[in-house]
Amino acid sequence: MSIWFLLNGLLLIWAIWNVASGVAVHTSYIHILLGFTGFLFFIFNWTRNAVFSTIRNIEGRQNKIRLARMSKRIRPYHRWVGTGAFLIILLHAWAVVALYGFDLGNMKILTGFLASINLFVLVLSGWYRLLVDPRIRIRKLHIRLGISMFILTAVHFLY
């Protein structure tokens, strides 16, 4: 099993913890639920990276075939799930700005803003790869943007 499965699971548990504590404290929590929904879409897509990493590192051929088939079934929805994540995160951002204002001095808003820009470029690179240029360079950029999105999401949860 890939280290990414463990990291994704830990980030998911941390997100659930943040949502549970945020809903308990805030009187208006729609922004928290929107952010969590967008996060679930992102982590669903990012788990494909864990599957591919596992395929590369696993020994048994049958397990590789099983994981590759599972990933192949999910592939047609990958870009749409990513685009949906971006749209939901935009709604999350709109709700946060409506409640708290746009203050980049606030670390939670700053990290969310940076993560949303990263997610926008991540989604663009995925569509660009499909429609225009499927070269390896774009694929590597897409994976690096996914890693930075994972890190920015974790930092966003810190604040």
Side-chain angles (χ1 to χ4, degrees):
M1 180 175 5
S2 167
I3 186 74
W4 282 109
F5 278 118
L6 176 65
L7 293 174
N8 289 352
L10 290 174
L11 192 62
L12 179 62
I13 291 168
W14 192 9
I16 292 170
W17 178 266
N18 277 346
V19 168
S21 61
V23 168
V25 173
H26 293 84
T27 56
S28 174
Y29 50 84
I30 187 69
H31 65 288
I32 296 171
L33 296 178
L34 284 168
F36 183 65
T37 304
F39 167 75
L40 288 177
F41 275 58
F42 163 71
I43 205 71
F44 173 79
N45 264 359
W46 184 239
T47 301
R48 284 190 74 219
N49 180 57
V51 171
F52 289 138
S53 183
T54 301
I55 289 170
R56 284 189 296 271
N57 297 327
I58 201 167
E59 293 295 322
R61 177 173 158 71
Q62 292 298 11
N63 286 333
K64 286 184 180 193
I65 292 170
R66 184 179 52 82
L67 289 172
R69 284 185 179 151
M70 179 184 67
S71 183
K72 187 177 181 180
R73 281 190 302 254
I74 295 170
R75 185 183 50 179
Y77 308 106
H78 180 74
R79 286 174 189 86
W80 293 107
V81 170
T83 303
F86 178 68
L87 294 175
I88 293 168
I89 292 301
L90 280 181
L91 291 173
H92 166 70
W94 176 75
V96 167
V97 170
L99 284 171
Y100 303 109
F102 187 70
D103 177 22
L104 288 178
N106 181 336
M107 287 303 289
K108 186 77 163 179
I109 291 176
L110 177 63
T111 57
F113 181 68
L114 293 174
S116 65
I117 290 171
N118 187 83
L119 183 58
F120 176 69
V121 177
L122 180 64
V123 169
L124 276 181
S125 70
W127 282 106
Y128 181 78
R129 217 175 137 228
L130 172 71
L131 300 173
V132 179
D133 187 5
R135 286 186 291 181
I136 191 85
R137 189 178 70 178
I138 306 300
R139 187 184 72 135
K140 286 183 179 182
L141 170 69
H142 190 71
I143 291 170
R144 288 182 182 122
L145 287 167
I147 292 170
S148 63
M149 185 68 202
F150 183 89
I151 293 167
L152 284 168
T153 302
V155 172
H156 185 65
F157 289 161
L158 274 175
Y159 297 102

